[in-house]
Amino acid sequence: MQSTFSNTKSSWHPLVKGLAILSAAALATNPAGAEDHDQTHVRFFSGNLVVSRSVYDNNANNVKVGALLPVNCANTVGPCAAAINNGAYPFVFNNDTIDASFGITSKIFLDQITPSGFLLNSLEVPNSSQKNIRTESNQLVTSFSSKSEIALNLSTDGKLLTFMGYVAPINSLDVSNSNTPGVIDPTNPVGVNFYRAVATVNRNGKFTFTETNAYSGNNGRAAILNNSNGANFFYTAGNAGNGANPQPNGVILGAGAQFIDPSTAPESFQTPGTPTPLGSFSVTLLGAKADKVGKDDNFRGLTIFNNVVYFTKGSGSNGVNTVYFVDTTGAACPKGVGIPAVGAPLPVSPLNLSGVNPQNGLPNNMCILSGFPTTLARNLTNPATPFGLWFANADTLYVAEEGDGFAGDTTFYSHAAAQTDAGIQKWTFNSSTKTWSLAYVLQTGLELGVPYTINNYPTGNNAATKLPWAPATDGIRNITGTVDHNGKATIYGITSTVSGNGDQGADPNRLVAVTDDLANTDVSKATTEKFTIIRKANFAEVLRGVSFAPSGQDNDDRDDHEDHGDRD
């Protein structure tokens, strides 16, 4: 399996000079293209950040004007539409205006940066464009411009980064809405099939890939490996379905929160079976009428804190856009809302489906976190759009709000600027009332609705939408953070955008950071806490996930150490 890296030649930041020099010295010994089993260096260092980045292959031949979309639609239920732009960036993503499933698979890079934003190296995830990668080789891509993908999370022991993607060649069309090979929805207009997969990577840049039939018709978004105390399985978040109602059983079972056993086999030897859900939530718990099965579980964010698995739902007109947790006790929230039971264990098995007909819904073992919204999305003019979440401690939860993405007319900049919930929300827990409440929203310096320029990006208005090309920040998606000894929390977040692009997910976005006083609940004081830009995506790039780097050694590293000598 091939890996490549690049090192920056910029001046060292004075605060990170020592660490950067150490990293550069360690990395310089490995030639680009070295095989994983031949690597003799440490790629990632504790305390640094890792950001997932997708790079579009800017090739006009990726799409032919007039080609029928979605891909292979003539052999599906259709309808078909003719492509209005070729594959040149960013005009290619105007095809989203005629094909709601439009996307093109692209490379994934894992950028290691210092907390101040200095680039140390970039690890390319194996893909079909690389030398020695064949059809049967391990590989993984994302879909440009699917904005909810490649979130990064650390395993429970902190030694592995986990993320999700597709087992497909780069420059493949409409993969993010394709069926998986084992879960076919005949009403899906996209006529290709691809597995989704969960990836892990350790501090030495060694990858593993586990294929799954989950998330057929849509995308896997985030994964965490539980590898502590003898456990070994993934919890994942995503969405499923791109067809009509009723959905096939496999689509329902493969939605939302999944429980996936890792594989050690090469991708070409894997034969994933029927998806196994980790959990499920139905609005019937709130006294509402049941809606489209599977869509209440359209999850985006994922984290674990104090042995509890948390999710967010922030899109779609089904269900409730809010924060959820998996209840392993069965007693934490009999009416769908509550707080985790003290001492409750992490889930160690998938949802029990014995005797269950998925068409009638799945057993409910998830709850809305007490204090968070419970109103159905369809009953709100502007539903909440929570995305990433990070616990600073047991009483402080930061939730990223990505904004509503409005670009319906020329007021979209001012609309974005007027949002009061977009940014990073600080929630605090009241132990007396057993409920969470919103303290304030961090927005200062985020520059919501303020257009910015990108080198080589088009200027003026997009002919397809009649709106300005220039993107502006609309909110925050994935986040992570750290707390210092002074009680200051620094939160790192990936921005969302709004623009006149045919698909706003294709806009180059930013990594930003803000420092918040944990003890503060004063809104006026919070307005003085200002976001700073840590890193910017360039032309034909997008940033997606952010995490701290993996640490320590896993068993495979120790085996390599014994066989090949000291790799540090």
Side-chain angles (χ1 to χ4, degrees):
M1 188 181 305
Q2 190 177 30
S3 303
T4 59
F5 71 90
S6 60
N7 289 318
T8 180
K9 296 184 182 295
S10 303
S11 300
W12 302 113
H13 188 287
L15 294 179
V16 297
K17 183 176 180 181
L19 177 58
I21 291 174
L22 171 63
S23 301
L27 293 167
T29 61
N30 188 62
E35 295 295 316
D36 278 355
H37 57 77
D38 290 333
Q39 291 178 1
T40 58
H41 69 279
V42 176
R43 284 199 178 273
F44 298 117
F45 290 86
S46 298
N48 288 332
L49 294 171
V50 181
V51 174
S52 57
R53 173 172 53 98
S54 178
V55 180
Y56 175 64
D57 180 22
N58 190 17
N59 185 339
N61 293 323
N62 285 343
V63 183
K64 301 289 187 183
V65 173
L68 295 182
L69 297 172
V71 62
N72 205 28
C73 60
N75 296 317
T76 69
V77 295
C80 295
I84 60 176
N85 282 101
N86 66 20
Y89 179 85
F91 306 94
V92 59
F93 295 102
N94 284 332
N95 289 309
D96 190 63
T97 63
I98 55 94
D99 172 14
S101 300
F102 188 75
I104 302 181
T105 53
S106 57
K107 303 175 185 179
I108 303 170
F109 291 87
L110 303 177
D111 296 334
Q112 181 176 202
I113 64 174
T114 65
S116 62
F118 184 86
L119 177 65
L120 296 175
N121 54 51
S122 294
L123 178 64
E124 185 173 355
V125 179
N127 64 79
S128 63
S129 74
Q130 290 178 305
K131 214 169 148 184
N132 301 325
I133 296 293
R134 300 173 293 277
T135 301
E136 67 274 15
S137 300
N138 285 348
Q139 55 194 287
L140 198 74
V141 294
T142 187
S143 179
F144 207 106
S145 56
S146 295
K147 51 198 175 186
S148 60
E149 295 182 1
I150 48 177
L152 298 177
N153 288 286
L154 286 172
S155 57
T156 55
D157 71 353
K159 297 178 182 178
L160 295 167
L161 271 179
T162 55
F163 57 98
M164 295 198 71
Y166 307 92
V167 183
I170 66 165
N171 299 332
S172 301
L173 300 182
D174 294 350
V175 170
S176 62
N177 283 121
S178 67
N179 290 321
T180 57
V183 178
I184 303 297
D185 183 350
T187 68
N188 186 346
V190 177
V192 289
N193 308 320
F194 292 97
Y195 287 121
R196 282 58 172 159
V198 187
T200 73
V201 61
N202 68 9
R203 69 192 301 242
N204 291 330
K206 182 177 180 179
F207 289 99
T208 70
F209 301 99
T210 298
E211 295 181 335
T212 178
N213 279 307
Y215 308 122
S216 182
N218 218 286
N219 58 353
R221 294 163 174 167
I224 297 177
L225 176 65
N226 179 359
N227 60 349
S228 301
N229 301 316
N232 187 39
F233 32 75
F234 295 108
Y235 308 129
T236 67
N239 189 22
N242 193 45
N245 197 17
Q247 299 170 312
N249 285 353
V251 170
I252 297 169
L253 294 174
Q258 292 289 305
F259 185 100
I260 300 174
D261 289 320
S263 175
T264 57
E267 288 177 351
S268 59
F269 285 81
Q270 295 181 37
T271 54
T274 303
T276 51
L278 167 69
S280 184
F281 181 88
S282 171
V283 295
T284 58
L285 291 172
L286 305 174
K289 181 181 178 182
D291 50 22
K292 190 173 185 180
V293 178
K295 287 300 183 181
D296 286 356
D297 295 338
N298 178 2
F299 297 130
R300 313 194 90 174
L302 169 65
T303 196
I304 294 175
F305 182 75
N306 277 355
N307 278 350
V308 179
V309 186
Y310 293 86
F311 292 86
T312 61
K313 180 185 178 300
S315 64
S317 58
N318 285 79
V320 181
N321 293 348
T322 192
V323 175
Y324 298 83
F325 67 93
V326 178
D327 174 26
T328 55
T329 69
C333 41
K335 295 184 178 180
V337 180
I339 61 171
V342 176
L346 279 168
V348 294
S349 59
L351 194 62
N352 184 355
L353 300 176
S354 177
V356 172
N357 179 356
Q359 296 299 320
N360 297 327
L362 303 182
N364 297 303
N365 67 337
M366 297 181 70
C367 316
I368 294 174
L369 191 58
S370 181
F372 282 83
T374 58
T375 304
L376 300 182
R378 64 172 174 258
N379 293 339
L380 295 172
T381 303
N382 295 304
T385 52
F387 207 110
L389 62 171
W390 174 68
F391 283 87
N393 56 37
D395 299 320
T396 312
L397 170 58
Y398 293 93
V399 178
E401 171 76 31
E402 71 168 325
D404 61 16
F406 173 79
D409 56 44
T410 56
T411 67
F412 70 89
Y413 289 138
S414 58
H415 178 95
Q419 295 178 109
T420 57
D421 292 331
I424 296 179
Q425 300 176 353
K426 181 179 185 177
W427 290 75
T428 58
F429 183 66
N430 186 317
S431 58
S432 298
T433 62
K434 305 297 183 185
T435 190
W436 290 84
S437 61
L438 178 63
Y440 47 76
V441 184
L442 296 168
Q443 290 185 327
T444 304
L446 193 53
E447 298 185 336
L448 295 174
V450 178
Y452 55 85
T453 59
I454 301 153
N455 289 339
N456 301 318
Y457 216 60
T459 57
N461 286 358
N462 181 355
T465 64
K466 308 296 191 274
L467 298 172
W469 278 104
T473 297
D474 195 46
I476 300 285
R477 292 191 185 117
N478 288 304
I479 59 173
T480 193
T482 185
V483 179
D484 67 18
H485 63 278
N486 293 317
K488 302 285 187 181
T490 298
I491 308 102
Y492 301 89
I494 304 292
T495 64
S496 60
T497 60
V498 63
S499 75
N501 192 332
D503 185 340
Q504 299 170 70
D507 294 325
N509 57 344
R510 297 165 167 177
L511 169 67
V512 296
V514 64
T515 297
D516 179 49
D517 183 353
L518 274 184
N520 179 53
T521 55
D522 184 345
V523 175
S524 61
K525 182 179 177 181
T527 61
T528 66
E529 298 173 334
K530 187 176 181 180
F531 281 90
T532 57
I533 299 171
I534 302 298
R535 193 153 193 86
K536 299 178 181 179
N538 294 316
F539 181 83
E541 293 182 346
V542 287
L543 308 180
R544 290 300 184 229
V546 59
S547 171
F548 281 95
S551 61
Q553 289 182 315
D554 61 20
N555 290 331
D556 288 339
D557 290 336
R558 288 191 288 272
D559 291 341
D560 290 342
H561 171 92
E562 292 167 2
D563 292 342
H564 304 292
D566 190 347
R567 294 191 168 206
D568 290 337

